[in-house]
Amino acid sequence: MPDSFFASTKIRKRKRPVNTTERGGSAKKIIRKGKASSQDATHAGTRRRVTRAADEELNSDRTDSEGGGIDDIDLRASIEPETSGDEDAHETPAEKRLRLAKLYLDSVKDGLGKYTEGEFDAAEIDRELISERLRQDVLEHSGKVHLFVADSYDFTSTTSLRCKGHRFSVTSAVASEDAQYLYTSGKEGTIIKWSLQSGEKIATFYKKHAAKGKEKALPQDIQGHTDEILSLAVSSDGRYLASGSKDRRVGVWDVEKDEWVKGFGGHKDSVASVAFRKGTQQLYTGSFDRTIKLFDLSAMGYVETLFGHQDTIVSLDALRGETAVTAGARDRTVRFWKIADESQLVFRGGGKSAIRELLEGGAFEGHEDDENMDEAQVDDPKSSKGKDKIKEKRYAEGSIECVAMIDETTFISGGDSGSICLWTTQKKKPIYTQTLCHGFHEVQSATEGLLRTPRWITAVASLRYSDTFASGSWDGDVRLWKLDQKLRSFSLVGSIPACGVVNSLQLLGLPKGALDNASWREKEQRAPTKSLVRPALLVVGLGQELRLGRWLSLKGEGIMNATTVHIIYPRT
């Protein structure tokens, strides 16, 4: 929203008082009434000349100040008491606008002053100019990847915070965009609000126990959730926290007042995923009842329901545009929803196999030859092509478990085959697939011997509009990936330890100076960096069990139900 300073191109002037000296005889009568009348008229004329001069100066300097982006700073904090309160009281609107514009330009010069002392060259100074800031805002609203920062981060050295407060597995963990608060949920049905400055608990929203018998309350009268909480989302302005639960309700919390606002019904099964549209208070929810619902929290009302999936919706993501992406579990589809057009694009995942080809109407031609070739090349260490084919056939994807948007047209998905797929809205098939991203899960069987199956991709998250994203499983690491310049493939660039099942991931760009004074942050002695890339925040929700089931239980040293927060620094 543009500042009111630049809201109008026409400068309003105060209405000029009637000059009685131009009316002949009436002027003489006024002069005779007092000796101070001539002095007052002289002062009034002087004030009018000063006002006109200020207006002309403001009009000439207007084009220089329009590119400033005055919303970037708090002018009230930088105003020095140059004048007394009496002088400010008589200040005209035009003079005030001129003074504020000069203060803003002075603050920009002060911010760039450090670059003029020889620390940086001219190219780096240009990146900090006001025009570059405005250009960056335009890129963010364009909805395309514009931040190629993966090579700028040092993933080997991070600062970590561990938040432990849930009895059972952490199902979701999200931080606010200003990096002031962290919200976590667990299978026991509680939500905990943490301070990222101190790492301590601020508030806890406990699970409610519904009364039975004659005292049974209606669902809308219960101020909270009555079952496991599966997903959390924070609005861009940090005001509302949304929660999805097994009790079939969507909860809305006012985190400024730490209280329950409203519970939305309508879903006929567990609400597995919630997401806010970036920059708005529009909320998307995905449920086991195979539907997506839209809510508008500015009016606290329901908008519409979307249909299409043939199985449970286990993951959902959205960005700035009026679109959303969902993962349909065992229907093996990722769907891209165009809300305004009331349409959807269907992307079918899953690896190919001879059985699947037969079921989908494929012919047997070539399958026997391929199988014979694979069997002959299994023991040949030089034949990587044959191994890749047999892996692709043996580990066909049966369920798509998670999805994340990179920009408005590009997204990634992960499933039970251990593969991560890169998609674009221009093609129905993945443009790139990385198999066995987190290795094998090995189980010793008494009858079959050693059984090896791929570890599921349990969570994915992207640094919005950048070339960096993360994936998680239960191999003990969160892996960081880098997209190439053309967004056609990706490669592994680093990993961060994570003991347990990774049920939730979030990558967030840190605002400038957000956690500089955090008590848990190490006061690292780092050399001054010339990089203009800001640190990133990685939030990892861990547990001993999977978010949506109990068919896997990890036990061992270091495995616990907790949330870890990592600050990833740029390279020095």
Side-chain angles (χ1 to χ4, degrees), residues 179-482:
Q180 294 299 313
Y181 302 106
L182 171 70
Y183 306 94
T184 62
S185 63
K187 282 192 173 183
E188 74 279 355
T190 61
I191 300 175
I192 300 178
K193 178 182 178 182
W194 308 79
S195 169
L196 284 179
Q197 295 291 334
S198 62
E200 298 178 352
K201 292 182 184 180
I202 297 179
T204 302
F205 310 126
Y206 292 100
K207 174 183 175 182
K208 302 295 182 179
H209 297 281
K212 297 181 181 180
K214 295 182 179 179
E215 299 179 357
K216 184 176 181 180
L218 296 175
Q220 59 268 25
D221 297 332
I222 301 176
Q223 303 293 310
H225 289 292
T226 60
D227 209 332
E228 296 179 16
I229 296 171
L230 302 179
S231 180
L232 297 176
V234 183
S235 60
S236 297
D237 57 4
R239 180 180 179 184
Y240 292 117
L241 173 71
S243 56
S245 172
K246 275 190 174 182
D247 63 4
R248 308 178 183 182
R249 288 199 302 163
V250 178
V252 180
W253 309 80
D254 188 333
V255 291
E256 295 178 354
K257 301 178 181 179
D258 294 334
E259 63 182 18
W260 172 272
V261 177
K262 189 171 183 179
F264 290 105
H267 282 297
K268 299 179 180 179
D269 209 332
S270 302
V271 182
S273 185
V274 294
F276 277 97
R277 179 185 170 193
K278 186 176 176 63
T280 70
Q281 292 183 355
Q282 294 182 10
L283 178 66
Y284 304 103
T285 65
S287 171
F288 281 13
D289 63 4
R290 301 175 291 180
T291 65
I292 300 167
K293 290 187 182 294
L294 278 67
F295 300 93
D296 187 357
L297 300 192
S298 61
M300 285 297 165
Y302 160 82
V303 180
E304 63 177 321
T305 302
L306 306 177
F307 301 86
H309 276 290
Q310 303 301 310
D311 198 38
T312 58
I313 299 174
V314 293
S315 182
L316 184 149
D317 198 15
L319 286 182
R320 191 181 300 274
E322 203 169 353
T323 58
V325 171
T326 55
R330 302 198 71 84
D331 69 0
R332 294 193 299 272
T333 65
V334 177
R335 298 183 184 242
F336 184 86
W337 303 85
K338 299 180 180 180
I339 310 300
D341 298 339
E342 298 183 355
S343 63
Q344 57 182 289
L345 301 178
V346 181
F347 303 89
R348 301 193 181 277
K352 292 183 179 179
S353 66
I355 297 177
R356 183 172 178 181
E357 290 290 335
L358 175 62
L359 294 176
E360 293 182 356
F364 280 106
E365 295 182 5
H367 287 301
E368 294 181 359
D369 296 337
D370 291 342
E371 289 176 359
N372 294 333
M373 179 189 66
D374 290 337
E375 291 174 359
Q377 293 175 343
V378 166
D379 298 329
D380 185 3
K382 296 182 180 180
S383 178
S384 60
K385 186 175 181 180
K387 288 186 177 181
D388 292 339
K389 285 190 176 182
I390 198 167
K391 284 178 183 177
E392 185 181 2
K393 289 186 177 184
R394 183 176 298 175
Y395 304 111
E397 193 167 48
S399 175
I400 299 179
E401 296 293 318
C402 49
V403 68
M405 295 186 72
I406 295 175
D407 62 16
E408 302 294 349
T409 59
T410 310
F411 49 94
I412 52 175
S413 67
D416 61 356
S417 65
S419 301
I420 298 177
C421 297
L422 177 65
W423 307 81
T424 178
T425 55
Q426 307 302 318
K427 290 189 176 183
K428 290 186 176 181
K429 295 183 179 180
I431 57 177
Y432 185 77
T433 300
Q434 179 68 45
T435 59
L436 298 174
C437 293
H438 287 264
F440 287 99
H441 178 64
E442 298 182 351
V443 177
Q444 188 68 35
S445 174
T447 58
E448 299 295 333
L450 183 65
L451 300 178
R452 302 177 70 196
T453 56
R455 290 191 181 94
W456 294 9
I457 307 300
T458 56
V460 290
S462 70
L463 186 61
R464 305 305 195 190
Y465 304 109
S466 79
D467 62 341
T468 308
F469 68 90
S471 65
S473 187
W474 61 85
D475 60 335
D477 289 316
V478 172
R479 302 198 176 188
L480 285 303
W481 307 84
K482 168 196 169 184

